Amino acid sequence: MDLRECDVELDHVSKKFGNIVAVDDVSLKVRPDTFLTFLGPSGCGKTTTLRLIGGLETPTEGKVLIKGRDVTGLPPYKRETNLVFQDFALFPHMNVLGNIGFGLRMRGVDRGEIRKRVQKALEMVGLPEAMYRKTNQLSGGQRQRVALCRALILEPAVLLLDEPLGALDAKIRKQMQVELKNLQRKLGRTFISVTHDQEEAMTMSDEIAIMNQGRIEQVGDPHTVYNKPVSRFVASFLGECNLIEVEVLGPQLGKFAVRNSHLGTFFFHPEKDWENKASQKNTCIMVRPEHITVTENIQDGMNVINGTIKTVSFKGSATEYVLAVDSMDVKFQIQGKSQYKPEDKVSISWRPEDCHLIP
Amino acid sequence: MPFDPIKMDRTTVQKELKFPAAGFARKLRGYKDFLGLLPITGFEIFFYLIPLVFLMIISFWMTKNYKVIPVWNLHNYWVVVSDPAIRMAFFRSLDITLTTLLLTVLVAYPFAYALVFKVPSRYRQLILIAIIAPFWTNYLVRAYSWQLILGGNGLINHLLGAAGIIEAPLNILYTHVATRIGLLHFLVTVMVLNLYGSMDNIDRSLIEAAQDLGAGPLRTFLHVILPLSFQGLATGTVFVFIFCFTDFIAPSVLGGGTRPVFSQKVVDAAQWTANYSLASALSMVMILVIAVFLLVVFRLIKAGTRGEK
């Protein structure tokens, strides 16, 4: 990919705070007009990475490029990025107009023009009457929209959002997820967000970068990352999954076979380079609970496990079952209300397309 | 014990009959919380407020032959306003106060800013202790030590003369430059502590937000740090003003007696000419000036915090 085509590029960036390595040799290229989310548990380095892009931290090693320009040494007021802070960081001694217009004031735009643009921005986020209100008179959702306006009104090349929905209650959060996504599509600019909420990341993003202990484990669109995780961490972070330890056998019955010593042989469709890793030992396959069903009709070449139902949890739209098999528990999920009870002996299976091998 | 509404009623009625003043007692009990304030309030009333009232009364009386005579008149205030020496002393006090205030703010702000935002946190406490340490010595004693430094044969003149920068010793001591230096030495510390407190309370993310929105260090200071440290500035200013305007030691020890300030006039009237009524009038005027200043500052604080609250 041509360098000039990236909105953001991180080139072997590391950040150390004393002895603690917050960001460990991270490289990433972000295409224009992308909604990218850094996803990971607390302390994985995602917020630090965001701040490195914004200029609020300087990398210990590596380079940061924005729109092809090396901005590594530049302070935040010289970069084409703007950050929406987790706690919004609205200036308490200014009203909404003063807050949103701050950046324009710094650029020397004249007051009348500022007032016009701020009014337009407020109308765009649904707060047309808020211009002269004090920041402490606003609700959480309103403050968030003011913080968004304050950043977007400067038309940055990249908008950075630090846990943008963390401070909102659940109902508004869902609404804002959709609004943010639509906003990004409408503006056509790159948004980079940080969150620990897997569902939020999946809903809003075009691309997800999953981070763990300062490193990016995987980058990809939500479908790929969910269905084809490259590591156990990624698999288990993005929702429920079953991980079965297997040993790779090789091609069999037109598909690829792996074996677990207790549970038998399973089949799946491999990716391109699995032929080379024929006798890998320490692998496992991943199956998501929603891809498993109960079967009566067992045939050769199917992925089948026999076990006893241990627990049943009715979650509303679906029922979760835990199946006790040998030494393991297997979780699976069926839409609708429960049909099986604990102590039932069932056979479950899944299609070869629905499982994935993890090295 | 089962709840017996009828029995309860009777007891309540009995209570009301036995203690008709129960309502009043209940009201007093509400003020029990303020009992803690009584000792200090009483002390202040007895030893401050009442003498102050006496002072006010005496300022309207006359002094003849070193005795205060209870004859009501405005003569003392007339003297305060019309006597040229007193007027000169007043404006001299005001001049010293305002210039010292300005210098204090100019010196303290960068220092406090550096201490809060630039100095790594492990050195901060050390520096704060170093600033406060001089307070452990008596103010008068420190004023005298300034004499040693600023005098004709003092440290500064020695150093400058040895370095060949000056030929004749500089006349600093016994001028009001020395007065200002002595006051500054004390008051910069006070102002730094006040500013440090309010600046340290500023949410760091606000500063980052300002930078992210395009403000460099200077504009971040002007638009974010300065307004948000206003509280500390106001408190410090009040203290500096009151101290400078009323201080007697620095002008006397360092400024000499040739160009008296207002506080020295009060002492003159009270000690040397034993004109207590004039001294009282002078004191009243001093209090009035301070009161006016406080009013102005509090108005400004209100206007400043209207944006915050």
Side-chain angles (χ1 to χ4, degrees):
Chain A
M1 189 181 358
D2 189 359
L3 264 179
R4 266 170 283 137
E5 283 179 25
C6 295
D7 265 356
V8 177
E9 188 189 338
L10 297 170
D11 185 15
H12 293 288
V13 170
S14 293
K15 177 70 185 171
K16 289 203 192 88
F17 293 106
N19 285 331
I20 303 173
V21 183
V23 177
D24 193 358
D25 193 27
V26 161
S27 295
L28 179 69
K29 289 196 171 83
V30 183
R31 281 185 298 270
D33 193 6
T34 309
F35 198 129
L36 171 88
T37 300
F38 285 106
L39 175 65
S42 302
C44 68
K46 53 193 195 293
T47 304
T48 312
T49 310
L50 192 78
R51 287 164 64 90
L52 284 166
I53 299 175
L56 295 174
E57 308 278 359
T58 326
T60 323
E61 282 163 30
K63 293 198 284 193
V64 178
L65 294 97
I66 297 182
K67 283 210 142 90
R69 228 174 103 226
D70 187 345
V71 297
T72 315
L74 290 185
Y77 44 94
K78 292 209 182 124
R79 297 196 190 196
E80 285 179 76
T81 59
N82 286 112
L83 177 60
V84 179
F85 289 78
Q86 185 171 3
D87 60 351
F88 313 134
L90 297 182
F91 301 121
H93 57 294
M94 299 183 200
N95 60 10
V96 169
L97 171 64
N99 266 282
I100 300 182
F102 187 81
L104 295 174
R105 233 168 95 203
M106 293 298 114
R107 289 190 186 171
V109 179
D110 89 296
R111 288 193 184 261
E113 179 66 25
I114 293 181
R115 208 173 304 138
K116 255 200 285 179
R117 291 198 209 172
V118 170
Q119 185 60 37
K120 211 167 104 190
L122 285 172
E123 276 161 18
M124 194 165 81
V125 293
L127 290 173
E129 313 278 295
M131 190 143 86
Y132 294 107
R133 288 212 213 136
K134 300 275 175 269
T135 53
N136 65 337
Q137 295 171 332
L138 304 170
S139 72
Q142 291 172 328
R143 284 174 181 218
Q144 207 240 19
R145 278 178 273 173
V146 170
L148 252 179
C149 282
R150 188 173 72 171
L152 281 174
I153 206 169
L154 298 174
E155 297 181 337
V158 181
L159 182 73
L160 307 170
L161 304 118
D162 188 359
E163 309 247 15
L165 308 180
L168 305 174
D169 28 287
K171 201 171 108 189
I172 307 184
R173 210 180 294 169
K174 296 242 182 254
Q175 192 190 327
M176 284 304 295
Q177 280 172 12
V178 176
E179 279 189 35
L180 271 178
K181 179 65 193 156
N182 292 337
L183 194 61
Q184 189 272 326
R185 284 236 177 84
K186 190 163 121 189
L187 294 175
R189 290 171 195 274
T190 297
F191 280 24
I192 299 184
S193 146
V194 153
T195 183
H196 59 271
D197 185 328
Q198 158 246 330
E199 200 198 305
E200 184 179 305
M202 304 269 274
T203 315
M204 298 196 303
S205 330
D206 297 323
E207 286 219 331
I208 303 181
I210 303 194
M211 289 189 72
N212 186 28
Q213 297 186 320
R215 300 182 147 263
I216 295 185
E217 295 230 349
Q218 187 171 0
V219 184
D221 68 279
H223 280 290
T224 311
V225 175
Y226 186 75
N227 289 316
K228 297 186 177 18
V230 301
S231 73
R232 286 162 213 249
F233 174 80
V234 176
S236 39
F237 193 81
L238 286 177
E240 301 282 4
C241 68
N242 296 297
L243 295 171
I244 305 173
E245 306 286 335
V246 291
E247 183 196 331
V248 175
L249 292 179
Q252 237 181 72
L253 294 175
K255 294 167 242 185
F256 211 73
V258 295
R259 187 178 57 188
N260 172 283
S261 42
H262 296 276
L263 302 175
T265 309
F266 302 108
F267 303 93
F268 76 109
H269 292 298
E271 255 84 70
K272 294 178 285 256
D273 52 349
W274 274 104
E275 287 83 35
N276 306 329
K277 301 177 183 166
S279 56
Q280 283 246 312
K281 293 270 171 178
N282 230 339
T283 51
C284 65
I285 56 168
M286 173 205 77
V287 195
R288 298 267 181 211
E290 61 268 21
H291 293 145
I292 299 181
T293 50
V294 175
T295 45
E296 316 278 299
N297 212 347
I298 300 177
Q299 292 164 353
D300 258 350
M302 272 176 77
N303 297 317
V304 179
I305 296 182
N306 304 312
T308 319
I309 295 193
K310 202 162 119 178
T311 61
V312 177
S313 324
F314 177 56
K315 295 274 185 230
S317 56
T319 312
E320 271 179 27
Y321 299 93
V322 176
L323 192 79
V325 187
D326 244 336
S327 48
M328 268 189 62
D329 285 346
V330 176
K331 289 180 229 166
F332 66 100
Q333 185 180 309
I334 299 185
Q335 292 290 102
K337 69 180 210 298
S338 154
Q339 295 167 303
Y340 305 98
K341 309 178 303 291
E343 305 302 316
D344 281 357
K345 290 204 189 312
V346 292
S347 299
I348 55 168
S349 75
W350 64 89
R351 300 180 311 168
E353 301 86 73
D354 286 333
C355 68
H356 177 72
L357 192 70
I358 297 177
Chain B
M1 184 99 165
F3 178 75
D4 190 345
I6 296 176
K7 225 185 223 158
M8 191 148 222
D9 236 317
R10 226 182 293 147
T11 359
T12 323
V13 172
Q14 276 182 345
K15 248 196 189 140
E16 291 291 344
L17 288 175
K18 270 191 196 165
F19 307 108
F24 179 63
R26 217 173 296 139
K27 203 172 171 196
L28 269 185
R29 222 172 293 145
Y31 291 107
K32 192 171 49 173
D33 304 322
F34 294 98
L35 232 83
L37 293 176
L38 222 52
I40 304 255
T41 320
F43 187 88
E44 290 290 325
I45 290 177
F46 196 71
F47 289 109
Y48 181 69
L49 225 58
I50 292 178
L52 194 64
V53 172
F54 277 153
L55 207 68
M56 224 188 309
I57 294 173
I58 294 175
S59 70
F60 291 106
W61 287 353
M62 282 194 353
T63 308
K64 260 203 169 83
N65 298 330
Y66 308 119
K67 281 219 194 83
V68 179
I69 312 169
V71 176
W72 296 92
N73 70 98
L74 286 174
H75 179 68
N76 300 307
Y77 286 98
W78 168 247
V79 170
V80 171
V81 172
S82 62
D83 185 314
I86 292 180
R87 261 204 278 186
M88 171 104 41
F90 178 81
F91 287 112
R92 210 173 272 136
S93 271
L94 216 59
D95 171 31
I96 294 176
T97 302
L98 292 174
T99 50
T100 308
L101 180 59
L102 187 66
L103 283 170
T104 306
V105 172
L106 287 177
V107 171
Y109 243 116
F111 193 90
Y113 177 85
L115 203 56
V116 175
F117 298 111
K118 301 289 176 190
V119 173
S121 47
R122 57 179 176 272
Y123 298 130
R124 236 180 268 168
Q125 258 202 334
L126 205 68
I127 297 183
L128 278 172
I129 295 176
I131 301 176
I132 298 176
F135 278 88
W136 297 338
T137 47
N138 179 276
Y139 177 55
L140 179 60
V141 171
R142 274 187 292 146
Y144 274 112
S145 28
W146 273 111
Q147 279 192 337
L148 294 174
I149 300 176
L150 301 172
N153 274 326
L155 186 65
I156 291 192
N157 280 315
H158 258 290
L159 288 177
L160 291 180
I165 302 178
I166 55 167
E167 290 179 353
L170 290 175
N171 191 20
I172 308 177
L173 189 56
Y174 302 130
T175 69
H176 286 309
V177 175
T179 308
R180 288 189 182 87
I181 292 175
L183 287 168
L184 255 178
H185 178 222
F186 176 75
L187 294 165
V188 164
T189 313
V190 173
M191 186 64 91
V192 163
L193 290 175
N194 270 298
L195 291 177
Y196 179 88
S198 60
M199 277 201 236
D200 203 27
N201 273 337
I202 298 178
D203 194 351
R204 293 294 189 273
S205 64
L206 293 177
I207 297 170
E208 290 183 339
Q211 290 186 322
D212 178 73
L213 294 167
L218 179 63
R219 289 202 289 183
T220 306
F221 178 80
L222 285 174
H223 293 284
V224 178
I225 298 178
L226 191 58
L228 290 176
S229 63
F230 199 64
Q231 201 69 31
L233 179 62
T235 326
T237 303
V238 165
F239 188 89
V240 170
F241 186 92
I242 294 177
F243 194 88
C244 278
F245 196 69
T246 59
D247 183 38
F248 173 73
I249 289 178
S252 305
V253 172
L254 298 171
T258 49
R259 276 163 292 218
V261 296
F262 205 67
S263 51
Q264 286 169 314
K265 284 292 177 202
V266 178
V267 175
D268 279 350
Q271 268 193 330
W272 301 121
T273 62
N275 189 345
Y276 294 112
S277 39
L278 179 63
S280 305
L282 287 163
S283 306
M284 283 294 122
V285 170
M286 194 178 259
I287 293 177
L288 190 71
V289 170
I290 295 173
V292 167
F293 183 77
L294 280 177
L295 216 80
V296 171
V297 171
F298 285 145
R299 275 285 158 81
L300 288 176
I301 294 179
K302 232 202 211 164
T305 51
R306 221 184 291 136
E308 274 182 62
K309 308 274 176 215

